[in-house]
Amino acid sequence: MYNNKQVTIVGAGLAGLCSAYFLINKGYRVSIIEQQKSVALGASYANGGLLTPSMPEPWNAPGIFSQLLKYLGKNDAPMLLKPRYLHQYISWGVRFLSNSNLSQYKFATLHNMKLAMFSLAKLAKISEQLEGTFEYKLNGTIKVFRSTQALEQTLKRTRFLSDNGLAHEALTTPQLIELEPALEDAQSQLCGGIYYPQDATGNARQFCHALARYITLNGGEFHFNSDVHRLKVHGGKIYGVVTNNQEFDCQSLIITAGAWSTELLSSLGINIPVKPVKGYSLSVPAKQSKYMPQHAILDDEMHAAITPLGKQIRLAGTAEFSGWNAKIDPSRIENLWHFFQSLMPNLYANSNRHESESWCGFRPMSADGLPFIGGTHVKGLYVNTGHGPLGWTQAAGSAFILSQQITGGVAGIDASPYQLRN
Ligand SMILES: Cc1cc2nc3c(=O)[nH]c(=O)nc-3n(C[C@H](O)[C@H](O)[C@H](O)COP(=O)(O)OP(=O)(O)OC[C@H]3O[C@@H](n4cnc5c(N)ncnc54)[C@H](O)[C@@H]3O)c2cc1C
């Protein structure tokens, strides 16, 4: 059944597992090397669960510099710059800011949206194949607004997206409550919303575990507790990796090590400007009731979202530039509880803090807001990372593009905006 093509993948998060899925379906043998004891223990563990072509804007929008200065050191800011970690972001930060001009911002927004739409179509197909193994719902998301000015500004920006295929519907507050009755108790704070019917929601960790079962059943191998320290190259071609406990030979290697990818690649002179940007989430058990939302609800100003995922509510968001500091800052979690309370006071009042899980993870954030998908100057060495806040949304599409590049197939989308660049 197998041909002699073999691919090794570093990292068992969304990017690595989706890459393995498509390659296995093409008859390739796949080995996945992961430093943790299981899959989805990096950024893919408890993300916001949002699958949102409607949120393609990179975080370095024009004007970001003055906004970041305003947020500096403020613990309740949606984007938190911790001064003692700033030195870790200097050269990346210069690129992040220099890419915040209007033309790069529009370019990244458009190509993020195209990749997100492409990806959701691929994910829908995977979900048919893996039917019922992970929480997945295609019923749109809702953005809410606390000021008319913010709503109007977003509607203005959305025109550019709708010209390129994004469906949306502006809602008055009564229309918002009709569509999502769970927002009824918050209506006095709201000035309307926007509904995005093409968006979906899904549980990324369940999806990763479902993919891991599929990969194993189809002959793929996992090597857990294996931390890749070094990549072996000879004559301009990759031929192996060295981990903390063994060496692996390989014909082709994909680096899908999330925010850790940059360091692995830099030893070969491959420079991808990707940095960890920490985010938080809270998973709150919730029973079905009239207060349970039926859609994911996003608050742009807060950079936060509430997502119903089966029997739980996922609250997620905020960005913290604090290097590799993996400590959970209780005040950031408290911000998520406040956000929950302000939008869904009844559900909040009935939730049990002791049964809820707090989490933080590192988004692999590129300096220009677009991911890196494709080959490097080292023959046989590929990269699929840098998806930042869109890594779940773009996972299936990115992996499909890369698998087509490796196997010589047609991507079905212009993949040039995602190829490696400095
Ligand atoms: C709070 C938060 C909320 C988010 N919400 C959303 C959302 O709602 N929608 C959305 O689209 N995206 C969201 N994201 C982004 C998304 O979760 C990430 O972009 C995505 O999970 C990245 O997947 P990945 O596979 O690239 O990285 P990861 O999931 O981090 O996987 C990388 C893997 O590589 C392994 N690894 C690293 N180095 C090595 C090494 N040297 N050797 C072996 N293994 C190694 C790691 O252990 C890890 O398992 C969110 C992120 C966060 C943090």
Side-chain angles (χ1 to χ4, degrees):
M1 170 187 167
Y2 294 128
N3 58 30
N4 64 0
K5 300 278 175 63
Q6 186 271 343
V7 178
T8 301
I9 296 174
V10 180
L14 284 161
L17 295 163
C18 286
S19 303
Y21 168 86
F22 286 113
L23 287 166
I24 277 193
N25 284 353
K26 288 255 180 178
Y28 276 57
R29 284 183 296 129
V30 168
S31 304
I32 302 179
I33 305 176
E34 168 56 53
Q35 65 186 0
Q36 300 276 0
K37 62 179 183 201
S38 181
V39 303
L41 290 175
S44 308
Y45 181 77
N47 68 22
L50 302 164
L51 294 155
T52 43
S54 69
M55 290 171 60
E57 295 95 349
W59 286 6
N60 48 349
I64 184 72
F65 185 58
S66 50
Q67 211 168 8
L68 283 174
L69 286 181
K70 245 183 8 207
Y71 293 154
L72 198 66
K74 278 193 189 155
N75 235 25
D76 59 350
M79 279 195 201
L80 179 63
L81 278 176
K82 292 211 165 169
R84 73 172 175 280
Y85 295 100
L86 273 183
H87 65 280
Q88 296 185 27
Y89 291 90
I90 290 174
S91 69
W92 178 91
V94 168
R95 288 172 182 206
F96 183 72
L97 294 176
S98 70
N99 279 311
S100 68
N101 61 74
L102 189 60
S103 74
Q104 173 58 30
Y105 176 75
K106 279 184 119 172
F107 181 80
T109 299
L110 178 64
H111 291 288
N112 269 333
M113 188 183 77
K114 287 189 171 178
L115 180 55
M117 286 177 164
F118 181 72
S119 193
L120 259 60
K122 298 287 170 213
L123 182 63
K125 287 220 170 108
I126 302 178
S127 95
E128 277 170 28
Q129 189 175 18
L130 304 180
E131 202 197 341
T133 53
F134 69 103
E135 206 61 57
Y136 169 72
K137 218 167 162 188
L138 181 55
N139 69 338
T141 61
I142 297 172
K143 226 176 235 183
V144 294
F145 295 87
R146 293 163 200 270
S147 82
T148 313
Q149 195 194 9
L151 171 61
E152 278 166 4
Q153 274 170 3
T154 304
L155 280 171
K156 208 165 134 194
R157 282 202 310 268
T158 307
R159 242 169 263 146
F160 167 64
L161 301 177
S162 59
D163 287 347
N164 287 284
L166 185 80
H168 74 285
E169 195 184 323
L171 303 169
T172 61
T173 303
Q175 287 168 332
L176 189 62
I177 309 304
E178 196 185 333
L179 180 65
E180 185 46 272
L183 284 169
E184 190 171 359
D185 293 325
Q187 60 182 310
S188 61
Q189 304 163 43
L190 302 177
C191 296
I194 306 177
Y195 174 55
Y196 299 97
Q198 289 150 311
D199 287 352
T201 54
N203 187 320
R205 182 171 11 135
Q206 282 175 0
F207 175 70
C208 286
H209 281 278
L211 279 184
R213 283 191 293 277
Y214 179 87
I215 291 163
T216 307
L217 274 173
N218 288 281
E221 285 174 11
F222 284 92
H223 302 275
F224 291 114
N225 301 309
S226 299
D227 187 355
V228 173
H229 289 173
R230 193 158 63 83
L231 311 180
K232 288 164 77 177
V233 174
H234 183 71
K237 180 165 179 5
I238 193 86
Y239 73 97
V241 298
V242 182
T243 73
N244 54 324
N245 46 34
Q246 70 186 106
E247 295 197 13
F248 295 88
D249 292 337
C250 59
Q251 296 173 2
S252 301
L253 182 73
I254 308 178
I255 303 295
T256 51
W260 296 266
S261 305
T262 308
E263 207 181 309
L264 271 177
L265 292 162
S266 66
S267 62
L268 301 179
I270 299 166
N271 180 17
I272 53 159
V274 170
K275 279 280 179 190
V277 176
K278 189 160 138 187
Y280 288 88
S281 80
L282 248 178
S283 300
V284 184
K287 291 193 191 84
Q288 269 309 331
S289 73
K290 66 173 180 168
Y291 302 119
M292 185 77 171
Q294 298 309 309
H295 305 85
I297 294 154
L298 291 95
D299 187 326
D300 243 4
E301 268 174 71
M302 304 277 295
H303 260 286
I306 298 181
T307 309
L309 288 174
K311 291 184 179 140
Q312 56 174 233
I313 291 282
R314 179 74 47 79
L315 297 144
T318 76
E320 195 178 297
F321 295 83
S322 56
W324 290 109
N325 168 11
K327 274 201 189 132
I328 294 185
D329 178 343
S331 68
R332 304 296 281 169
I333 293 292
E334 205 48 45
N335 291 342
L336 287 176
W337 281 115
H338 282 149
F339 168 61
F340 187 25
Q341 184 180 23
S342 75
L343 279 186
M344 309 212 156
N346 268 298
L347 206 54
Y348 168 80
N350 289 317
S351 57
N352 184 338
R353 284 193 178 220
H354 300 295
E355 287 175 8
S356 304
E357 186 183 8
S358 305
W359 172 78
C360 70
F362 298 113
R363 301 177 183 90
M365 191 78 89
S366 70
D368 64 5
L370 285 165
F372 293 91
I373 308 164
T376 66
H377 71 261
V378 175
K379 203 163 169 229
L381 179 63
Y382 301 88
V383 177
N384 181 9
T385 192
H387 300 84
L390 287 170
W392 181 202
T393 305
Q394 296 178 331
S398 304
F400 181 79
I401 291 171
L402 187 62
S403 71
Q404 294 296 85
Q405 288 180 5
I406 292 173
T407 61
V410 176
I413 179 174
D414 172 15
S416 60
Y418 323 113
Q419 69 196 8
L420 265 65
R421 59 213 177 268
N422 281 322

